[in-house]
Amino acid sequence: MSETPVAPNRHLYWAVAAAACLAVAGGGAFWYAASKTAATTRGQAADRTVTITATACQPNQITVPGGRRSFEIVNASDRPIEWEILDGVLVLAERENIAPGFRASLSVQLAPGTYQMACGLLSNPRGTLVVTPSDEAAAAASEVTLRKFLGPLSEYRVYLAMQGNAALSAAQTLQAAIAAGDVTAAQAAWQAARLPYRRIEALAYRFSDLENRIDPRAAYLTGREQDPAFTGYHRIEYGLFAQGTTEGLAPVAAQLVTDLEALKTRLRQAPLDPQLLIALPGDMATQLAQSHVPTGDDAYAKTDLAEFEASLEGLDKLTGLLRGVVASVNPDLEAQIGAAMERSRADLTALKQGEAYPPYDTISAEQRQALSGDLTALAAALSKLQDVIGLN
């Protein structure tokens, strides 16, 4: 017997339409606020503007005097992009996840030399950055004395070694779960494996060759998820959480373990110096604020908040070491950095539901903007370290 059709409820139509309008408005408000924040952080005009097209940097060769230089990066392509300054395989500075049509700013201390620029997609040809000698660069080179940094440098090396060991061990556990074909166990192992890596990412991401194998995002690759260069954590994440299988992941997991073994060695041998130690936390806070928090990193697992907490733990370790150096020189700045770190931690913890964080796609645009603002304030406080440390 046929059923009589039920007449659509026009009130339901209006409710759905209103919800859609609110979603669009909320997303628009977030991106408008994000663009205003980026404009505010740019402040005065940059030394150079670099436009990233679908295939290259424009200009593809830049010459600037040594010292603290600022760049404005414009995304003129149709994909999210990253721009990096590279010294061999070492990333000196970068801005990532710049949306199409948007721009980002970057300020970095540059010593004289010739560097490469990574221009958008990882397959694009690299540009050249030439830094010429200057009085400013010479003064910066002699500004910081090593003696006051011996303790912090040694302690951070120990921290890097411990977290590097933890990252490798966790990846081996993940590899075993994948080999056993246990998707549930592998998903849990993947989430655990990400945390020690995020604690040391401030330095780990600067090894560009390893970073491009350990942690590439599909959006930065020509073939996205199907690209042969889609490897490492996020390729495993895609298989486990988007496809719900361990099939085909065994060689990816094996390569991740190999790459993390290499990273462990690099971290132990990394040429740490005071200038780098000063730059690491501010650069990482800026990356979190501008690139990670607005859109998230874990497109398939949605476990970003737990990873942001691990990133803050790594930042807290670094800032704690530097606060000890700056406290006797500028106690106001030391207190400012501490307060900014505490606000970031408190606002992140407030997003927990019970003892766990919710999926990142449930976090509103306003909540993301608030967390991004906290991290921007932390980065601003940390940016003052360069001018303060080394006065005595």
Side-chain angles (χ1 to χ4, degrees):
M1 184 174 66
S2 62
E3 296 183 355
T4 302
V6 178
N9 186 329
R10 59 194 180 98
H11 297 293
L12 179 60
Y13 286 153
W14 284 110
V16 172
C21 290
L22 284 172
V24 172
F30 170 67
W31 286 113
Y32 173 73
S35 64
K36 284 183 69 65
T37 298
T40 299
T41 58
R42 284 197 298 272
Q44 62 186 29
D47 293 306
R48 294 300 300 264
T49 297
V50 184
T51 299
I52 311 298
T53 70
T55 58
C57 288
Q58 292 182 350
N60 205 42
Q61 179 163 330
I62 298 173
T63 300
V64 296
R68 181 154 292 274
R69 301 277 76 87
S70 60
F71 299 86
E72 186 172 57
I73 306 99
V74 180
N75 184 359
S77 75
D78 61 356
R79 299 273 293 271
I81 57 97
E82 62 180 353
W83 184 75
E84 298 175 332
I85 300 174
L86 298 159
D87 184 4
V89 299
L90 185 67
V91 179
L92 298 182
E94 76 166 356
R95 286 292 174 267
E96 61 178 10
N97 206 25
I98 307 171
F102 280 69
R103 58 188 65 212
S105 59
L106 180 151
S107 179
V108 58
Q109 184 74 29
L110 291 171
T114 300
Y115 306 95
Q116 289 184 311
M117 301 183 294
C119 303
L121 296 180
L122 298 180
S123 57
N124 288 348
R126 290 178 173 176
T128 302
L129 174 64
V130 178
V131 180
T132 58
S134 70
D135 291 341
E136 182 184 347
S142 61
E143 184 178 272
V144 178
T145 59
L146 179 62
R147 187 166 57 88
K148 66 177 68 176
F149 281 94
L150 288 177
L153 287 168
S154 297
E155 188 170 342
Y156 192 54
R157 278 201 183 279
V158 172
Y159 183 78
L160 290 172
M162 292 176 62
Q163 295 301 321
N165 287 337
L168 177 58
S169 176
Q172 290 167 335
T173 299
L174 171 61
Q175 182 184 26
I178 288 172
D182 190 333
V183 173
T184 300
Q187 288 176 337
W190 182 87
Q191 294 177 52
R194 288 286 289 167
L195 303 184
Y197 181 78
R198 291 301 293 257
R199 293 185 188 108
I200 56 176
E201 191 176 19
L203 181 59
Y205 90 82
R206 291 173 177 258
F207 301 114
S208 63
D209 57 333
L210 291 177
E211 171 74 0
N212 289 341
R213 296 198 301 268
I214 291 172
D215 204 33
R217 286 189 258 179
Y220 295 159
L221 301 169
T222 305
R224 297 184 184 268
E225 284 85 357
Q226 308 311 314
D227 199 295
F230 187 40
T231 58
Y233 286 117
H234 293 303
R235 173 62 185 91
I236 295 172
E237 178 198 3
Y238 175 66
L240 294 176
F241 293 90
Q243 299 180 310
T245 180
T246 62
E247 186 176 350
L249 297 182
V252 184
Q255 185 62 52
L256 178 62
V257 168
T258 298
D259 290 334
L260 288 171
E261 286 175 337
L263 177 62
K264 174 184 169 182
T265 300
R266 294 267 189 100
L267 293 172
R268 187 171 62 248
Q269 300 173 349
L272 283 178
D273 58 38
Q275 291 282 7
L276 180 58
L277 199 68
I278 291 170
L280 287 176
D283 287 353
M284 194 69 243
T286 299
Q287 291 282 38
L288 288 167
Q290 295 185 2
S291 303
H292 298 260
V293 170
T295 59
D297 294 328
D298 301 335
Y300 323 104
K302 312 296 185 185
T303 52
D304 301 87
L305 290 173
E307 293 189 19
F308 294 160
E309 183 175 71
S311 295
L312 279 179
E313 289 171 1
L315 276 176
D316 196 29
K317 180 64 177 181
L318 270 168
T319 57
L321 295 173
L322 293 171
R323 286 170 64 188
V325 175
V326 79
S328 61
V329 179
N330 191 326
D332 290 341
L333 178 58
E334 188 272 335
Q336 184 182 350
I337 292 171
M341 175 62 74
E342 186 56 39
R343 281 194 301 273
S344 298
R345 271 200 304 257
D347 281 356
L348 180 60
T349 302
L351 297 176
K352 278 187 174 179
Q353 295 178 356
E355 295 299 314
Y357 286 110
Y360 200 55
D361 57 359
T362 67
I363 302 302
S364 70
E366 292 76 14
Q367 289 171 313
R368 297 185 191 200
Q369 181 65 14
L371 184 56
S372 180
D374 290 339
L375 290 162
T376 298
L378 175 60
L382 290 167
S383 71
K384 300 174 184 177
L385 286 170
Q386 180 69 43
D387 296 328
V388 169
I389 293 179
L391 294 179
N392 61 348

